[in-house]
Amino acid sequence: MKKVYKNKSKLRILVDTKCDLSGFQTVTIMARKPDESQISFPAVVKDVENGIIFYDLQSSDDLDMYGWWTFWPEVIFDDDRTACGDSVRVFVYESGR
């Protein structure tokens, strides 16, 4: 896997939710930054049956800190059920280091 760098916007966050997303209403990729604050990214469903979602970074400010980030999916279904997936930690590097 390539390194992920702070303030770069050419990146797709791809998540396997490991569940069938049939009947989903919204999907979100949640993130905890190195300073422990939380943000969310509106995800797109790539494969409903296999539960694959993604978010393409829109701005160089999306990943605005270097250090350990934690990402996890959250799904709301159209019948108000909710699901939260396993978290994954990713180190975001600062350019030139």
Side-chain angles (χ1 to χ4, degrees):
M1 182 173 154
K2 294 181 180 182
K3 289 184 177 181
V4 176
Y5 288 95
K6 172 185 151 192
N7 297 122
K8 303 301 177 199
S9 60
K10 180 80 171 149
L11 178 70
R12 172 173 282 183
I13 300 171
L14 188 67
V15 177
D16 182 351
T17 66
K18 302 200 184 313
C19 73
D20 185 338
L21 298 176
S22 296
F24 78 92
Q25 182 177 7
T26 60
V27 290
T28 306
I29 298 174
M30 301 297 297
R32 182 173 298 113
K33 296 180 176 190
D35 69 356
E36 297 297 318
S37 62
Q38 286 189 22
I39 61 171
S40 63
F41 301 108
V44 175
V45 175
K46 181 176 181 171
D47 185 331
V48 172
E49 290 179 359
N50 292 311
I52 307 298
I53 64 174
F54 71 91
Y55 173 76
D56 289 330
L57 296 184
Q58 303 296 308
S59 162
S60 61
D61 294 330
D62 282 345
L63 296 179
D64 60 352
M65 295 181 167
Y66 69 91
W68 285 104
W69 285 65
T70 305
F71 296 93
W72 67 95
E74 288 192 353
V75 182
I76 299 174
F77 293 91
D78 55 12
D79 61 0
D80 292 329
R81 291 177 300 138
T82 60
C84 182
D86 292 336
S87 63
V88 175
R89 288 182 48 157
V90 175
F91 194 84
V92 175
Y93 292 85
E94 188 165 28
S95 296
R97 291 189 180 215

